[in-house]
Amino acid sequence: MTDSPNVPAIETVGLGRRYRRGWALRDTSFRLPAGRVCALVGPNGAGKTTLLSMAADLITPTTGTITLSGHRPGSVQARQSTAFLSQQKALYPRFRVSEILRMGRELNPTWHQETAESVIDAGQVPMNARVGTLSGGQATRVAFALALGKRPRLMLLDEPMADLDPLVRHQMNDILQAEARRHGSTVVMSSHLVSELESACDYLVLVNNGTVRLAGEVDLLLAEHRQLTGHHRQEPVPDGYQVIATSGDEGGHSSLVRTSHASPPDAGHRAPTLEELVLGYLRAPDAPALLTPSARVDGGMEVVAA
Ligand SMILES: Nc1ncnc2c1ncn2[C@@H]1O[C@H](COP(=O)(O)OP(=O)(O)OP(=O)(O)O)[C@@H](O)[C@H]1O
């Protein structure tokens, strides 16, 4: 199969992974179209690393399948076109930065030295420094350089920004978006930095309780919801609205609601921010799942029963 734009960058069908303590991920089916910058969000222990690890061929599924541009994760095609940045950012501590880049060049036929060097130079990390002597953020930058230098079709990033300062996070997000735009590459980035995702990502996959609860284009998912502000918990919500989650105190509440019909903004109703959408679904792990047509394996209607 070729890397046609119509072939999803990631497709999972009935994907599940069980550990001795139970299911980390179960019965998960979704598609991520190619060329997207996708946020993968969910509470601690939701199954994000498990999903990324199956995509990176570090662990095998217990049930179902996962394909990357139509290829199995362990295949030559998938290995050559995928870069994975793990939470641990395994880099050889005794290697110098320049040696890490040389290793990247020798291992990857698609290596782009200029891209890798520009990431290092932008952080003024000395090329002759040993990786073990770098700060956490500097080492993360080297790991980013190694991943970006490979010019992968698919970048899998497991909480890559946690130890970067806010300016560098912006810079890295800009680089990832530019790579996706320029080369049509796909980025999947797990993150707890929800407030920063709105500007960084155009696609969202939210995992909770071991399965996908939301998946699709950020703008389409936002358009399916409203944020009701300043009302009281007992007040009925308008017809056609389904309450996902309510927060607040006696002074007033704010509810995330799902609606299938477009309603104009008024004093008490407005479009939610991405952060409000994500927080609402984190507060309501049993809310019915919502996948936009591009995220659905069967391409059909979007609402899946809880
Ligand atoms: N090697 C393992 N052995 C046993 N259980 C595991 C293993 N790896 C993960 N799990 C369990 O699977 C579940 C999902 O873990 P996972 O690391 O995928 O979550 P996560 O969403 O990445 O969490 P976090 O946001 O905390 O990084 C958790 O309950 C975790 O304890």
Side-chain angles (χ1 to χ4, degrees), residues 30-302:
F30 76 96
R31 281 181 172 170
L32 169 61
R36 297 294 188 157
V37 179
C38 174
L40 176 60
V41 300
N44 290 130
K48 303 180 295 295
T49 298
T50 300
L51 175 60
L52 291 174
S53 300
M54 285 190 278
D57 195 38
L58 297 178
I59 57 173
T60 50
T62 309
T63 61
T65 58
I66 178 166
T67 50
L68 313 178
S69 296
H71 305 292
R72 281 184 308 101
S75 65
V76 175
Q77 296 95 329
R79 281 175 184 278
Q80 280 180 351
S81 57
T82 305
F84 177 53
L85 203 58
S86 72
Q87 279 173 359
Q88 286 75 30
K89 312 204 175 67
L91 293 168
Y92 300 102
R94 295 184 58 77
F95 274 34
R96 298 184 191 280
V97 174
S98 56
E99 291 168 333
I100 293 278
L101 297 197
R102 197 171 76 223
M103 184 182 75
R105 192 165 62 232
E106 284 170 12
L107 289 178
N108 296 293
T110 54
W111 184 255
H112 199 257
Q113 181 75 7
E114 219 174 287
T115 301
E117 279 181 7
S118 69
V119 174
I120 301 289
D121 292 347
Q124 291 157 354
V125 180
M127 282 286 182
N128 62 354
R130 289 193 196 278
V131 168
T133 67
L134 299 178
S135 74
Q138 288 171 327
T140 296
R141 185 179 279 277
V142 175
F144 259 104
L146 192 57
L148 283 161
K150 190 176 174 182
R151 277 275 165 88
R153 305 289 304 152
L154 175 64
M155 280 190 79
L156 304 168
L157 309 172
D158 196 1
E159 287 181 49
M161 309 283 185
D163 53 8
L164 298 178
D165 72 53
L167 277 180
V168 178
R169 289 207 294 272
H170 275 280
Q171 197 184 53
M172 288 301 164
N173 279 328
D174 287 349
I175 292 174
L176 292 173
Q177 284 171 329
E179 285 293 306
R181 256 197 319 272
R182 231 178 276 143
H183 307 293
S185 44
T186 308
V187 179
V188 185
M189 179 163 59
S190 83
S191 176
H192 292 295
L193 301 167
V194 177
S195 61
E196 294 180 10
L197 296 176
E198 194 132 31
S199 59
C201 301
D202 58 8
Y203 215 84
L204 177 74
V205 172
L206 186 145
V207 184
N208 206 345
N209 268 356
T211 195
V212 168
R213 317 303 309 185
L214 279 180
E217 297 84 348
V218 168
D219 52 353
L220 293 186
L221 290 174
L222 290 175
E224 292 280 323
H225 294 83
R226 307 291 296 162
Q227 190 76 17
L228 309 188
T229 52
H231 73 293
H232 287 277
R233 206 180 279 268
Q234 289 78 14
E235 274 178 48
V237 293
D239 281 350
Y241 284 3
Q242 177 188 10
V243 176
I244 300 297
T246 298
S247 61
D249 55 25
E250 290 310 309
H253 294 94
S254 178
S255 295
L256 178 75
V257 298
R258 191 185 286 178
T259 172
S260 51
H261 55 81
S263 53
D266 68 28
H269 304 193
R270 59 173 175 76
T273 63
L274 181 58
E275 186 173 14
E276 287 167 335
L277 180 76
V278 169
L279 287 176
Y281 278 83
L282 295 187
R283 287 190 183 105
D286 296 325
L290 177 66
L291 283 78
T292 68
S294 72
R296 286 182 60 84
V297 168
D298 62 11
M301 263 307 292
E302 67 254 31

